[in-house]
Amino acid sequence: MNKAELRSRFRGSLLGLALGDSLGAPFEGLPPGDYRFNCSKPLYYTDDTEMMINLAESIIEQRDVLPEKVAEAFIRNLNPYRGYGPGTLSVLALIQKGIPMEQATRMVFPNGSYGNGAAMRVAPVGLVFYRDTKQLLEASEKASIPTHTHPLGIEGARIVALSVGLVLQGTEGDSLISILERNIKTEDFRRKFKLLKELLSKDTSKNEVIERLGNGVLATESVVTSLYAFLRYGNSFEETINFCISLGGDTDTIGAMAAALTGASLSLEGLPPHCLNRLEDYERILTLADRLFVLAEDL
Ligand code: AR6
Ligand code: MG
């Protein structure tokens, strides 16, 4: 793959994530339905993209994922009106008061959060470390622990980051699934991957996807759902998003994770220009993608 194409895939992934988030946000919490996304008004992103931006900026500044620095960036740039998960807001408030990170996460939930908050923001890690799976997975864990220390919350981030890194290089379909499966550590996700393969092998209704893979805020009920959306509909950005929002539930985050993959696959050229024109912070996110691309070449 030439450099220009690879850079466009970096752009497609981050801008895809931001579009998936902001296009999904109006449908968050609704029951399943035949919804269609709408780009006729300005598109505002939520916590998913805000945290992705903070993480990406911290990686660029530090040239690495340093959990303390990532936590600092999350706190410094926090806009509490962006729809953060309640656990994440509480953890960040405790860290701000001086409580050490891992202690703070366990004060909120006994073993830390297994929400999808670490997975939804992790795409920059998959982009920067795409060349080295071991480094990519370790960095995903470091990017999770400021807010998500539960093994399932972390595993969700590992899976999304590795997917981004692989799709970026053109690995899709069955090869993508089998590499991901080899890197799974938890029984819960192993079970979900069995279901994923079963559902992809046949005609599957939206209701069956919701029932068996989930449409909720937990990592285990959204990460594999977003992979399904990408693997089934990823040759069209529009179809990926419309499928994600039609599920109802955590539409913005499932949309963000699926669209980070579809964007990495289709490149910036595969994203709808009339939506990009209306996306909040379009230029800022584009620049971040370019800077991550340069950093990935350097590391
Ligand atoms: N024990 C019990 N419940 C839990 C646990 C646990 N260990 N972990 C998570 N939950 P949170 P997020 C439940 O708050 O992952 C936003 O809309 C609990 O109900 O850590 O950062 C984002 O955009 C908890 O409040 O948030 C995402 O879409 C919830 O899972 C979504 O929320 C979410 O975990 C999750 O963001
Ligand atoms: Mg959100």
Side-chain angles (χ1 to χ4, degrees):
M1 188 181 310
N2 67 42
K3 281 193 179 188
E5 186 181 346
L6 187 61
R7 189 179 66 168
S8 185
R9 285 173 174 246
F10 272 64
R11 292 171 165 184
S13 185
L14 290 197
L15 286 162
L17 185 156
L19 276 186
D21 173 24
S22 51
L23 293 171
F27 305 93
E28 188 182 7
L30 294 184
D34 286 328
Y35 316 120
R36 292 282 176 271
F37 72 80
N38 182 338
C39 295
S40 62
K41 295 196 186 117
L43 300 173
Y44 297 107
Y45 59 73
T46 77
D47 57 327
D48 305 51
T49 304
E50 181 164 285
M51 294 194 105
M52 176 278 281
I53 291 173
N54 293 336
L55 174 59
E57 288 180 348
S58 175
I59 293 173
I60 290 162
E61 203 177 305
Q62 306 300 328
R63 301 175 65 81
D64 197 358
V65 179
L66 304 180
E68 279 80 12
K69 297 290 182 185
V70 172
E72 266 174 45
F74 287 158
I75 292 166
R76 193 170 56 240
N77 303 316
L78 179 87
N79 175 349
Y81 300 107
R82 294 239 193 230
Y84 279 79
T88 291
L89 276 185
S90 307
V91 172
L92 293 176
L94 290 168
I95 299 172
Q96 192 172 17
K97 281 190 196 148
I99 296 179
M101 250 175 346
E102 299 220 13
Q103 195 183 332
T105 61
R106 297 197 161 95
M107 280 166 75
V108 177
F109 297 112
N111 292 310
S113 171
Y114 45 68
N116 55 22
M120 73 189 183
R121 66 186 184 226
V122 80
V125 174
L127 295 178
V128 165
F129 298 108
Y130 76 92
R131 270 196 268 253
D132 182 339
T133 300
K134 186 165 173 275
Q135 218 183 350
L136 180 155
L137 292 172
E138 281 169 12
S140 308
E141 297 188 11
K142 289 185 194 156
S144 301
I145 56 173
T147 54
H148 291 67
T149 46
H150 193 285
L152 293 173
I154 294 176
E155 179 108 84
R158 286 166 50 95
I159 292 170
V160 173
L162 184 54
S163 303
V164 167
L166 290 167
V167 171
L168 186 70
Q169 300 175 79
T171 307
E172 299 196 357
D174 292 345
S175 346
L176 174 65
I177 295 177
S178 61
I179 300 176
L180 292 172
E181 272 186 311
R182 285 206 291 279
N183 286 284
I184 291 176
K185 289 179 168 178
T186 64
E187 203 40 55
D188 295 54
F189 272 105
R190 218 163 272 137
R191 266 202 303 275
K192 287 285 176 188
F193 267 73
K194 282 209 183 93
L195 291 173
L196 171 69
K197 288 190 287 188
E198 185 192 327
L199 298 191
L200 284 171
S201 70
K202 61 182 184 78
D203 269 355
T204 299
S205 70
K206 178 169 72 188
N207 286 336
E208 194 176 359
V209 174
I210 297 168
E211 208 171 283
R212 304 186 71 187
L213 299 181
N215 67 348
V217 297
L218 304 186
T220 47
E221 55 188 30
S222 53
V223 166
V224 179
T225 312
S226 71
L227 269 171
Y228 175 88
F230 165 66
L231 290 163
R232 181 74 94 175
Y233 300 103
N235 51 10
S236 157
F237 191 81
E238 287 80 356
E239 279 186 47
T240 304
I241 300 292
N242 279 331
F243 176 74
C244 292
I245 63 184
S246 79
L247 299 174
D250 199 3
T251 47
D252 57 328
T253 295
I254 294 172
M257 295 187 292
L261 297 175
T262 300
S265 164
L266 300 180
S267 304
L268 182 61
E269 292 73 25
L271 272 46
H274 69 292
C275 299
L276 288 171
N277 283 339
R278 300 209 173 244
L279 177 64
E280 179 184 11
D281 279 346
Y282 167 80
E283 289 290 343
R284 180 180 181 193
I285 297 166
L286 184 80
T287 305
L288 279 178
D290 288 354
R291 295 181 69 193
L292 288 173
F293 173 72
V294 172
L295 181 60
E297 294 277 294
D298 262 21
L299 284 179

